[in-house]
């Protein structure tokens, strides 16, 4: 699937704004045909945004089940004879969409795009009604998983991930038009031949049997530097300007579907020319060892929850630059494509993660209060879940495969990984990722409960990604003991001969809480002491090729005795004020810039 674009042959209309909105607590809307007429008694909801915090209403905030979004739109008059498509960049966690009274598409998974060709159902120059029922219930066969429990007080949604289950239409919605003959996909690969860049491209198109493909590569000054033809082929760029961390140089590849001299479809794909490789315990970008600095992050903002927001996008990247971060992980789900686009442009390196988080009942008892389940079993996370998970991997890779910033796929965060069930579940998923993308390394993020010697899934990864909280969840306040234990475990992992990225380490910190004596968890001073301890350990172990602090900013979670108005491990507060640790990290990370 290609992203909607405006080009010489394509046109799009943005459908963001105010939609009609209704909760459907009785689950009656589908059978009652709520899509067939204006939503009665609806309130208004902003798109893109999570609905949870917008309505000042507990019923909406903690709601699970179906919610309805509806709006009308005029199909542009000029689209006569065009193929017309309705495109959602995401709907969390699943959606079914109607145009007028016709169901046009359903999609499972909250963080990847989907679309429907609605040409047959609409006429240019007419108004149509778009209705989407979005369902945010998490269950054993969803990614991420969850369960609805019957309690004396009624049904409750439980899940095992440490961030709030924000839901709704979080990203752009588009109506767009192309010619009936059009490109449907492009895959780019890049390599070097000495100082030259070698770009491979493969296009896919529909209704285009009698047409030819022409491609033109332009540099950032918009000068054509290479041309080719054919549905797939290779371009050589003399003295290529490499895409590199800190230098987000992009070429633009224009794909044209042509009929003689007529351009029937034109699509523009940005291209960053770079290589990624794992070599022993080193992670190489353009053949050079790369050391990741940065964060695990969240899409999480006041009021709009997981709604995409351009000002925060730009501001957050300014903060990454200010602090000297060269990378982040899309913990714990695919972020908006606009984030990945911007990472390309800013030369920020991305570890791209699926929404497979919370596949771990061992963690449930402690932080999330849900006990008594077995993670992998016929009745819980099972083969059907694995199929949904495999599809989530495929959709992530299909969406992000052409982004130079993405250097590594993370297929899950902190699943149970020390049991035979886990090994059986995960092994085929690594194959799914490698089949979908043979060019990038694949890994998953290991949890502290499956330390070296116990983890049975790490063997399948090209890199080791570890989340560890020595000095926080264990050895709390005792950084001396933490340092010894951490170094011992990390040394054992280093023996695996793979690169190790510490994808999480962090300490909850209440902004404004201070201590003159050391060892005071929750204080701003302790966050620094904790980070310093970790860095001493990392700096002694060669195989460590990256440090990503948990978290970039404070974020919202479910309530619980471990969380004070959310997770406070941010180096910045939720409204992006620096805690003292931000200045400390800046002095460490900018030293190398
Ligand atoms: C983890 C999880 C992350 C949590 C974090 C914490 O290991 O991956 O989602 O938020 O720990 O703060 O407990």
């Amino acid at each position: 699937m290609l992203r909607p674009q405006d080009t010489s042959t394509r046109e799009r209309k943005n459908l963001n704004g105010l939609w009609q909105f209704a909760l459907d607590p009785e689950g009656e809307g589908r059978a009652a045909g709520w899509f067939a007429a204006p939503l009665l008694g609806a309130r208004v909801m902003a798109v893109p945004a999570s609905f949870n915090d917008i309505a000042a209403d507990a019923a909406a905030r903690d709601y699970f089940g179906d919610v309805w979004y509806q709006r009308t739109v005029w199909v542009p008059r000029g689209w006569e004879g065009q193929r017309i498509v309705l495109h959602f960049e995401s709907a969390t966690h699943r959606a079914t969409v109607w145009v007028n009274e016709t169901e046009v598409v359903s999609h499972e998974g909250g963080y990847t795009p989907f679309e429907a060709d609605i040409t047959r159902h609409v006429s240019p120059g007419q108004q149509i009604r778009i209705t989407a029922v979005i369902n945010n219930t998490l269950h054993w066969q969803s990614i991420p998983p969850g369960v609805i429990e019957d309690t004396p007080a009624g049904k409750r949604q439980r899940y095992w991930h440490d961030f709030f289950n924000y839901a709704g239409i979080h990203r752009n919605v588009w109506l767009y038009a192309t010619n009936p003959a059009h490109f449907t996909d492009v895959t780019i690969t890049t390599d070097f031949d000495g100082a030259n860049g070698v770009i491979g491209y493969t296009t896919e198109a529909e209704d285009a049997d009698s047409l030819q493909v022409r491609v033109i590569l332009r540099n950032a000054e918009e000068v054509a530097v290479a041309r080719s033809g054919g549905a797939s082929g290779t371009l050589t760029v003399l003295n290529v300007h490499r895409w590199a961390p800190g230098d987000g140089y992009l070429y633009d590849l224009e794909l044209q579907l042509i009929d003689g001299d007529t351009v029937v479809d034109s699509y523009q794909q940005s291209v960053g020319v770079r290589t990624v490789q794992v070599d022993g315990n080193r992670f190489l970008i353009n053949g050079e060892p790369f050391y990741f600095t940065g964060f695990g992050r969240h899409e999480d903002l006041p009021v709009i929850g997981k709604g995409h927001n351009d000002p925060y996008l730009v501001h957050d990247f300014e903060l990454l630059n200010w602090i000297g971060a060269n990378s982040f992980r899309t913990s714990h789900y695919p972020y908006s494509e606009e984030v990945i686009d911007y990472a390309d442009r800013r030369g920020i390196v991305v570890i791209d993660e699926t929404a497979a988080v919370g596949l771990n009942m061992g963690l449930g008892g402690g932080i999330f209060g849900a006990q008594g389940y077995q993670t992998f079993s016929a009745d819980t996370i099972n083969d059907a879940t694995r199929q949904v998970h495999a599809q989530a991997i495929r959709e992530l890779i299909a969406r992000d495969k052409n982004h130079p910033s993405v250097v590594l796929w993370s297929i899950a965060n902190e699943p149970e990984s020390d049991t035979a069930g886990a090994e059986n579940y995960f092994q085929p998923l690594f194959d799914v990722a490698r089949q979908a993308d043979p060019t990038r390394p694949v890994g998953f993020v290991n949890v502290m409960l499956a330390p070296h010697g116990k983890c049975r899934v790490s063997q399948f990864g090209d890199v080791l990604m570890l989340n560890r909280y020595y000095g926080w969840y264990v050895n709390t306040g005792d950084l001396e003991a933490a340092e010894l234990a951490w170094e011992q475990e990390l040394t054992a992992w280093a023996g695996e001969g793979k690169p190790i990225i510490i994808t999480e380490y962090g300490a909850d910190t209440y902004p404004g809480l201070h201590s003159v004596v050391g060892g005071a968890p929750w204080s701003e001073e302790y966050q620094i002491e904790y980070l310093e301890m970790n860095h001493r350990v990392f700096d002694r172990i060669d195989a460590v090729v990256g440090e990503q602090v948990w978290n970039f900013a404070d974020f919202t979670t479910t309530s619980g005795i471990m969380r004070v108005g959310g997770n406070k491990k941010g180096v910045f507060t939720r409204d992006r004020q620096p805690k003292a640790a931000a200045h400390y990290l800046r002095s460490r990370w900018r030293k190398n810039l």
Side-chain angles (χ1 to χ4, degrees):
M1 190 188 311
L2 294 175
R3 249 188 120 177
Q5 269 188 4
D6 288 307
T7 69
S8 59
T9 64
R10 292 176 171 238
E11 197 175 337
R12 41 178 203 172
K13 181 162 180 169
N14 187 281
L15 303 188
N16 297 354
L18 301 182
W19 290 52
Q20 297 297 105
F21 176 83
L23 303 176
D24 182 5
E26 307 304 326
E28 59 194 311
R30 294 177 199 242
W34 284 8
F35 48 84
L39 273 181
L40 286 182
R43 49 178 135 181
V44 161
M45 186 51 61
V47 171
S50 302
F51 62 78
N52 310 75
D53 288 346
I54 289 195
D57 175 0
R61 177 163 167 96
D62 297 321
Y63 183 85
F64 56 91
D66 284 349
V67 300
W68 293 76
Y69 283 77
Q70 190 179 72
R71 67 163 286 168
T72 54
V73 59
W74 289 91
V75 179
R77 277 184 307 165
W79 288 5
E80 201 62 60
Q82 299 276 295
R83 165 183 163 263
I84 300 171
V85 182
L86 177 61
H87 181 102
F88 286 74
E89 291 188 6
S90 72
T92 311
H93 292 280
R94 62 190 64 81
T96 297
V97 181
W98 290 262
V99 167
N100 299 328
E101 296 187 27
T102 309
E103 183 179 325
V104 294
V105 66
S106 286
H107 180 258
E108 173 70 27
Y111 304 95
T112 43
F114 57 96
E115 62 181 28
D117 180 338
I118 59 169
T119 318
R120 288 184 297 128
H121 311 301
V122 304
S123 303
Q126 284 188 350
Q127 196 180 43
I128 57 171
R129 185 177 57 245
I130 298 170
T131 309
V133 60
I134 295 184
N135 180 283
N136 67 343
T137 303
L138 299 175
H139 53 77
W140 290 115
Q141 278 68 52
S142 62
I143 292 293
V147 70
I148 305 291
E149 292 179 336
D150 276 316
T151 77
K155 290 192 186 305
R156 296 286 184 269
Q157 168 83 73
R158 280 215 188 277
Y159 46 87
W160 303 277
H161 54 264
D162 184 32
F163 57 93
F164 190 78
N165 186 30
Y166 279 121
I169 303 180
H170 289 148
R171 300 173 189 165
N172 292 310
V173 185
W174 302 99
L175 199 60
Y176 74 92
T178 71
N179 272 311
H182 62 279
F183 289 110
T184 55
D185 200 11
V186 57
T187 305
I188 305 290
T189 58
T190 63
D191 205 349
F192 302 117
D193 179 11
N196 301 336
V198 182
I199 300 172
Y201 71 90
T202 305
T203 60
E204 285 171 35
E206 236 169 57
D207 287 342
D209 289 349
S210 59
L211 305 178
Q212 274 79 50
V213 174
R214 180 161 72 190
V215 304
I216 305 158
L217 186 79
R218 298 188 179 86
N219 64 16
E221 290 78 45
E222 298 179 4
V223 176
V225 292
R227 291 169 195 272
S228 185
S232 60
T234 304
L235 297 150
T236 299
V237 191
L238 299 179
N239 283 318
V240 71
H241 189 144
R242 297 175 176 205
W243 186 97
D247 183 6
Y249 190 91
L250 295 175
Y251 291 87
D252 179 71
L253 185 67
E254 186 188 350
L255 314 171
Q256 295 179 341
L257 210 48
I258 51 172
D259 183 1
D261 284 340
T262 311
V263 177
V264 178
D265 191 22
S266 161
Y267 189 82
Q268 277 167 278
Q269 174 64 53
S270 55
V271 177
V273 185
R274 59 105 183 91
T275 60
V276 175
Q277 262 170 297
V278 168
D279 176 30
N281 64 11
R282 297 179 314 157
F283 195 98
L284 306 180
I285 299 184
N286 299 337
E288 312 258 326
F290 179 67
Y291 191 91
F292 297 74
T293 59
F295 301 96
R297 297 174 59 205
H298 267 299
E299 292 186 315
D300 175 88
L301 290 170
V303 183
I304 62 172
K306 293 201 178 307
H308 176 74
N309 178 277
D310 278 338
Y312 272 96
L313 167 72
V314 176
H315 184 57
D316 284 355
F317 275 71
E318 291 300 327
L319 292 178
L320 292 176
N321 179 52
W322 173 85
I323 206 167
N326 62 20
S327 69
F328 63 86
R329 175 171 59 119
T330 69
S331 42
H332 296 307
Y333 36 82
Y335 289 1
S336 163
E337 293 162 86
E338 297 181 72
V339 177
I340 312 296
D341 270 347
Y342 199 55
D344 289 345
R345 283 166 60 181
R346 296 293 299 254
I348 292 284
V349 170
V350 175
I351 301 175
D352 212 355
E353 187 159 278
T354 68
V357 55
L359 286 73
N360 197 332
M361 302 310 120
L363 281 175
I367 302 181
F368 311 112
Q371 285 166 316
Y373 300 108
Q374 190 184 335
T375 305
F376 299 104
S377 79
D379 300 330
T380 55
I381 297 175
N382 57 19
D383 286 347
T385 317
R386 182 167 55 193
Q387 282 178 25
V388 177
H389 193 162
Q391 182 63 12
I393 294 171
R394 285 189 209 100
E395 289 188 20
L396 170 66
I397 294 178
R399 195 195 74 168
D400 288 352
K401 63 186 172 184
N402 294 327
H403 287 284
S405 58
V406 174
V407 300
L408 170 60
W409 305 113
S410 166
I411 64 171
N413 179 70
E414 296 196 345
E416 176 180 302
S417 64
D418 56 350
T419 55
E423 187 173 339
N424 295 335
Y425 178 91
F426 275 104
Q427 183 169 13
L429 293 178
F430 282 86
D431 298 337
V432 167
R434 291 195 174 101
Q435 256 164 30
D437 180 11
T439 72
R440 287 178 182 83
V442 183
F444 87 109
V445 173
N446 163 283
V447 65
M448 198 151 185
L449 296 177
H452 185 259
K454 290 216 169 135
C455 183
R456 297 171 65 153
V457 176
S458 307
Q459 55 175 323
F460 304 122
D462 300 306
V463 299
L464 299 168
M465 290 185 269
L466 306 180
N467 292 353
R468 288 297 181 276
Y469 289 90
Y470 289 99
W472 186 254
Y473 289 122
V474 294
N475 310 118
T476 316
D478 184 350
L479 293 175
E480 222 175 297
E483 187 164 348
L484 286 171
W486 193 186
E487 182 156 6
Q488 195 179 17
E489 197 202 340
L490 204 43
T491 305
W493 281 109
E496 299 289 317
K498 295 180 184 179
I500 303 172
I501 304 167
I502 312 304
T503 33
E504 285 182 28
Y505 61 114
D508 282 275
T509 303
Y510 206 82
L513 186 73
H514 291 286
S515 167
V516 287
V517 290
W522 291 93
S523 68
E524 294 203 32
E525 286 76 13
Y526 189 75
Q527 193 176 27
I528 296 176
E529 294 158 30
Y530 169 94
L531 294 172
E532 283 172 334
M533 178 282 286
N534 274 271
H535 296 152
R536 284 195 298 276
V537 175
F538 304 164
D539 291 348
R540 291 196 289 261
I541 297 186
D542 279 350
V544 174
V545 301
E547 52 193 55
Q548 292 187 330
V549 176
W550 192 255
N551 188 287
F552 172 70
D554 294 343
F555 58 92
T556 295
T557 63
T558 49
S559 50
I561 53 167
M562 308 278 280
R563 298 289 173 256
V564 185
N567 187 309
K568 290 281 184 282
K569 295 192 185 68
V571 166
F572 296 92
T573 61
R574 200 178 189 214
D575 60 358
R576 279 40 178 178
Q577 299 305 305
K579 299 180 190 172
H583 297 278
Y584 158 67
L585 284 172
R586 184 170 198 257
S587 66
R588 175 172 168 89
W589 290 343
R590 288 200 73 100
K591 191 173 66 202
N592 306 321
L593 291 181

